Amino acid sequence: MSKTIVLLGGNSSENKDWIERISRLLPFPTHTVVYEHWKNNAQLINLDTEVNRLEQLAPTIIFAKSAGILVTLKGAFERKVSPERCIFAGVPLHWSKKNNFPLEQWLLNWKIPTTFIQNSHDPAGSVEELKLLLEECNVKNFKLTTLRGETHDYPVDEIAKDIKENIS
């Protein structure tokens, strides 16, 4: 594989270490995005800022967790990024709604080949809620992988394995 995969973490700065650990487990080139709001200790990601930064990277493959998924979806919706493939872990259904991010609008008729990885009982949105949303939004070309879990945490080893399987 000669393409670089762009890695986007979740909203919290605690995701920086998590996403860097995943990067170290992958056997191909990666670019880990360090969000601007992590640098100045702001509480909430600025999606416009991060979409513009992602656009400069022109990614062909994106792995994103939680808020990073929103950056990717918004960027594609605005036609600023057009990845060939995406892998999303922990779609933040409830957090999106709480912060007035139009997740449903950005997902509507999504066609980019995407693997969604969701904990069965993720408090940010269960796998059943996600499955229903994907159907309602007419999402195509996707695979849904369910992990057993009741948190919004995703095990580094399991995620790295899923990325490898979905990229090769």
Side-chain angles (χ1 to χ4, degrees), residues 1-12:
M1 176 176 153
S2 60
K3 298 174 183 167
T4 298
I5 180 170
V6 173
L7 306 175
L8 300 160
N11 183 65
S12 167

Side-chain angles (χ1 to χ4, degrees), residues 43-58:
Q43 291 295 308
L44 188 62
I45 191 168
N46 182 318
L47 292 182
D48 292 328
T49 296
E50 299 306 336
V51 164
N52 290 334
R53 293 179 67 222
L54 186 59
E55 180 180 23
Q56 300 306 309
L57 296 172

Side-chain angles (χ1 to χ4, degrees), residues 10-17 37-38 41:
N11 183 65
S12 167
S13 60
E14 295 167 8
N15 282 274
K16 185 176 184 293
D17 177 58
H37 79 286
W38 290 350
N41 295 318

Side-chain angles (χ1 to χ4, degrees), residues 26-129:
L26 298 176
F28 34 77
T30 62
H31 176 91
T32 303
V33 174
V34 177
Y35 297 133
E36 289 299 316
H37 79 286
W38 290 350
K39 297 174 189 173
N40 61 19
N41 295 318
Q43 291 295 308
L44 188 62
I45 191 168
N46 182 318
L47 292 182
D48 292 328
T49 296
E50 299 306 336
V51 164
N52 290 334
R53 293 179 67 222
L54 186 59
E55 180 180 23
Q56 300 306 309
L57 296 172
T60 52
I61 300 170
I62 296 175
F63 166 76
K65 179 190 185 271
S66 197
I69 297 167
L70 302 180
V71 172
T72 305
L73 293 173
K74 183 177 187 340
F77 179 80
E78 294 175 351
R79 297 185 177 0
K80 292 184 176 182
V81 296
S82 54
E84 294 171 8
R85 167 155 218 59
C86 295
I87 301 141
F88 293 158
V91 178
L93 302 168
H94 305 297
W95 189 79
S96 301
K97 193 166 287 194
K98 177 183 158 203
N99 288 289
N100 297 311
F101 297 134
L103 176 62
E104 294 86 358
Q105 179 184 358
W106 298 337
L107 262 178
L108 194 61
N109 298 314
W110 180 263
K111 294 179 187 74
I112 295 167
T114 303
T115 298
F116 292 88
I117 303 165
Q118 197 80 2
N119 282 339
S120 55
H121 296 92
D122 186 326
S126 72
V127 75
E128 291 303 320
E129 290 172 287

